[in-house]
Amino acid sequence: MEQVAVLAVAAQLDRNYIREKTLEGQQVGAAKGNQGGRPKVIDDDSLTFALALQAKGDPVPEITQKLIIKEGKNAGKHPSVASVYRALAEAEEATAATQATDDLSQRPTPVRLHRPDEPLKAEEIGLRERLVVQRAVLDAEEVHP
């Protein structure tokens, strides 16, 4: 039983060592600009073309026949319909995420409430002036509908 425990510990140490060396290699590769994994079938140019065709109303199977893989082992062939659907969905998600962050940047920043005797900062004075102007516009619209 003791021999099995010793072998289990040795195996675990070996796995940890291999994992550390693998992660080191990935970090060195990333520093050199290499990213792991399979190359994308649909590059940025093909995606732009596919998005334009989709906006024009072409169905995805037809878009697939108009695209050609530029590099890799399938260079010169058409991508699969699933690859095109996936690329279009990822582009749509990226666009939605960008719009969501743009919407967040338009939200007002929170302002700390002050006591009447505390001085206001410049940005708070500007905010107060904008609010007064907006209130005046709303009041004028109520008087003259």
Side-chain angles (χ1 to χ4, degrees):
M1 197 66 159
E2 294 172 2
Q3 294 172 344
V4 174
V6 171
L7 290 175
V9 170
Q12 185 63 43
L13 289 172
D14 193 35
R15 279 193 296 269
N16 289 343
Y17 178 76
I18 291 171
R19 175 144 176 81
E20 288 174 11
K21 290 299 179 183
T22 302
L23 290 175
E24 283 179 25
Q26 289 174 348
Q27 290 172 350
V28 169
K32 291 181 182 177
N34 300 331
Q35 75 179 41
R38 189 171 179 171
K40 296 271 184 191
V41 171
I42 299 176
D43 60 356
D44 291 339
D45 294 337
S46 297
L47 180 60
T48 303
F49 184 56
L51 287 169
L53 291 174
Q54 185 185 35
K56 195 174 90 173
D58 288 0
V60 173
E62 286 182 21
I63 294 172
T64 300
Q65 295 304 312
K66 295 176 183 177
L67 298 176
I68 295 176
I69 299 172
K70 295 180 182 171
E71 53 186 47
K73 72 176 187 178
N74 292 323
K77 296 180 182 177
H78 300 290
S80 69
V81 175
S83 294
V84 176
Y85 272 118
R86 189 179 313 109
L88 292 173
E90 288 172 0
E92 186 176 321
E93 287 175 11
T95 303
T98 303
Q99 289 175 350
T101 56
D102 290 345
D103 292 344
L104 288 178
S105 64
Q106 295 175 358
R107 297 178 80 187
T109 57
V111 177
R112 186 176 74 81
L113 296 177
H114 290 277
R115 293 183 178 166
D117 58 334
E118 291 180 2
L120 296 176
K121 298 177 185 172
E123 66 183 47
E124 294 167 338
I125 293 171
L127 175 63
R128 176 180 277 178
E129 290 171 356
R130 287 195 309 271
L131 290 173
V132 168
V133 169
Q134 287 177 358
R135 183 39 130 184
V137 169
L138 290 174
D139 290 342
E141 289 176 358
E142 288 178 5
V143 173
H144 305 287

